[in-house]
Amino acid sequence: MKLGIFTDSTCDLPNYLIEQHELEVIPSLVVIDGQEYADGIGITREEFYKRLPSFQTPPTTAAPSIGEFATRYDSLLGRGCDYILSIHAASKLTTIINSAVKPLMISRTRSLSWTVHPSR
């Protein structure tokens, strides 16, 4: 059995660990003054903190789309994974974990074994 580990960018893992363990990391969305940015891609952490004092409204986060989750799960399947452990922040903090579960329940991944687990 080959295990695929999946998480989102709220885990804040350094790139060397992501690469070393072949983790699949989906960027969460950061919403700043009505504009969505993919965490670490659309806006860097450095840029975020530099701009933070000038934000007109407090920034918020949003979950990636269910389609984006499905694409990332398919990537793990394509790498030969037959079990996925998907770890995300608890549902009391974000909707990301809810979005992570939905694509795993559709037909193309039904033969796949998986667990979605809230981090603590």
Side-chain angles (χ1 to χ4, degrees), residues 26-103:
I26 191 168
S28 62
L29 301 177
V30 180
V31 183
I32 302 170
D33 294 332
Q35 178 71 36
E36 286 187 358
Y37 300 90
D39 183 21
I41 299 169
I43 188 168
T44 65
R45 300 277 163 89
E46 293 80 16
E47 182 180 358
F48 175 83
Y49 288 114
K50 182 180 176 183
R51 292 178 50 195
L52 186 59
S54 67
F55 294 153
Q56 297 191 7
T57 57
T60 59
T61 60
S65 72
I66 293 169
E68 181 65 22
F69 274 97
T71 298
R72 301 294 182 116
Y73 290 138
D74 286 345
S75 173
L76 289 171
L77 288 169
R79 289 190 250 161
C81 296
D82 49 9
Y83 190 93
I84 293 177
L85 175 60
S86 193
I87 305 168
H88 305 281
S91 61
K92 290 182 180 182
L93 301 174
T94 178
T95 61
I96 292 173
I97 198 165
N98 297 331
S99 296
V101 171
K102 291 178 184 175

